Amino acid sequence: MITALVIALVVVLFVAIVAIRRARVLDSYHRRLEKSERLLELALARRAGAAVALARSAALEPQRAKALLRAAQAPEKTATFTAKMLCETELSAQIDGALAELQTREGVLVKELKVRCLQTKYIRTMHNATAVRCKQLENTRLARWLKLSGSVKTRTANFADTNE
């Protein structure tokens, strides 16, 4: 009787320790995910700023400049994450068109835009890798049973990158 009680106590203690460790790991991934979301938003804002600077310069045709300016300002006006990603896809397409138009010219604004696009691409890749790992941890049996993920929404940033 006492042996069974000791074994049960050891099993419960083991499960508790594993659950605590898993909760800490999941919590650290959620913190990383929040940080990478902030970094991604900052990179997207910088990319949009570089696109606005290029659109306001005299380097582009007026129609292309208006379309680029409109696409660069659209993500600020959206409320949902999905709508924002659609606006970012449109901005990527407009940036590709503008860079294709300016492929023979290498000005400061063009270089700045290319750098911002590359930074955004790297940060989005990092964010998505963190989000995928976080989803994997959230989908483990122990995390689902003990509801370790809480109310955090784990989402990947899916939008078309520029061709740079």
Side-chain angles (χ1 to χ4, degrees):
M1 177 72 173
I2 291 183
T3 325
L5 189 59
V6 169
I7 291 173
L9 185 63
V10 167
V11 168
V12 167
L13 187 62
F14 177 74
V15 169
I17 290 171
V18 168
I20 289 170
R21 289 188 71 209
R22 184 59 56 107
R24 285 183 180 161
V25 169
L26 193 54
D27 186 50
S28 74
Y29 267 96
H30 282 146
R31 278 185 266 129
R32 282 185 207 169
L33 190 62
E34 288 172 355
K35 184 178 179 181
S36 70
E37 276 185 12
R38 287 192 304 270
L39 286 173
L40 181 61
E41 286 178 15
L42 182 63
L44 290 170
R46 287 179 176 165
R47 181 180 80 151
V52 166
L54 182 63
R56 289 189 175 150
S57 73
L60 294 172
E61 292 179 12
Q63 294 139 336
R64 173 75 65 191
K66 283 181 186 178
L68 183 60
L69 189 61
R70 193 172 32 252
Q73 294 171 343
E76 299 171 359
K77 301 172 186 173
T78 58
T80 66
F81 185 78
T82 306
K84 186 170 184 160
M85 291 303 109
L86 289 173
C87 290
E88 293 297 342
T89 299
E90 175 61 26
L91 177 57
S92 294
Q94 292 300 326
I95 289 172
D96 281 340
L99 291 177
E101 183 179 313
L102 299 173
Q103 65 185 351
T104 57
R105 292 183 250 163
E106 280 294 318
V108 175
L109 293 175
V110 173
K111 287 180 182 177
E112 175 73 15
L113 183 57
K114 287 181 178 181
V115 166
R116 295 300 181 195
C117 289
L118 195 59
Q119 287 174 344
T120 301
K121 187 175 185 176
Y122 289 147
I123 291 172
R124 183 177 74 103
T125 302
M126 179 197 67
H127 168 76
N128 285 345
T130 304
V132 165
R133 181 63 182 139
C134 198
K135 282 182 183 179
Q136 288 172 345
L137 289 172
E138 288 172 351
N139 288 332
T140 60
R141 209 175 279 151
L142 186 64
R144 283 193 320 264
W145 287 348
L146 298 178
K147 299 184 182 179
L148 296 179
S149 63
S151 62
V152 176
K153 290 195 177 202
T154 305
R155 55 192 181 199
T156 56
N158 297 317
F159 61 91
D161 277 322
T162 57
N163 290 327
E164 276 305 304

